[in-house]
Amino acid sequence: VQLQASGGGLVQAGGSLRLSCVASGRTFRSYNMAWFRQAPGQEREFVAGIRWSGAGTYYATDVRGRFTISRDNAKNTVYLQMNSLKPEDTAGYYCAASPQSTILSELRNSARYYYWGQGTQVTVSS
């Protein structure tokens, strides 16, 4: 599976962005998907995850209620709608794919992800 992320950019605090991640291959619908982010000098952290069926989602505490992850299996695409953005959301955002067997509570574990996209930069100005 190859992943291509897009949609990042520069936005003012309080604004919105929608990230997209398109996957190659016909097996996209069998993978759980997630977004991670990494700011300079910091470790990569989990942002949001979604089960292969779309039936379960999981969010990091500091984005819950502001970000929404969704997927369209017909388009091999996973989205991250980001609202009420804050300067601390500034980071490179990466999409990733994990096997269908990964349970919901393990979606935040980066070690469960086999495939990663190249990242898209989100910068939020104050």
Side-chain angles (χ1 to χ4, degrees), residues 58-112:
Y58 196 71
Y59 294 93
T61 301
D62 57 352
V63 306
R64 189 175 296 124
R66 300 188 297 123
F67 292 9
T68 302
I69 189 171
S70 62
R71 66 189 296 160
D72 185 339
N73 285 344
K75 295 182 178 180
N76 280 13
T77 303
V78 61
Y79 303 98
L80 184 67
Q81 178 65 44
M82 306 186 294
N83 298 328
S84 302
L85 282 161
K86 304 175 181 180
E88 50 264 44
D89 294 318
T90 295
Y93 283 70
Y94 299 84
C95 57
S98 74
Q100 185 174 336
S101 58
T102 304
I103 61 176
L104 188 63
S105 61
E106 280 290 298
L107 288 182
R108 65 184 305 117
N109 184 351
S110 62
R112 298 295 187 188

Side-chain angles (χ1 to χ4, degrees), residues 7-53:
L10 174 64
V11 64
Q12 289 187 332
S16 299
L17 283 174
R18 188 176 81 154
L19 306 184
S20 299
C21 175
V22 180
S24 63
R26 295 177 294 175
T27 60
F28 172 78
R29 63 180 65 246
S30 67
Y31 286 92
N32 301 315
M33 299 297 296
W35 290 93
F36 289 77
R37 66 187 181 187
Q38 187 170 20
Q42 297 187 20
E43 294 187 353
R44 186 171 295 185
E45 64 177 2
F46 172 81
V47 176
I50 187 167
R51 290 275 285 154
W52 61 274
S53 63

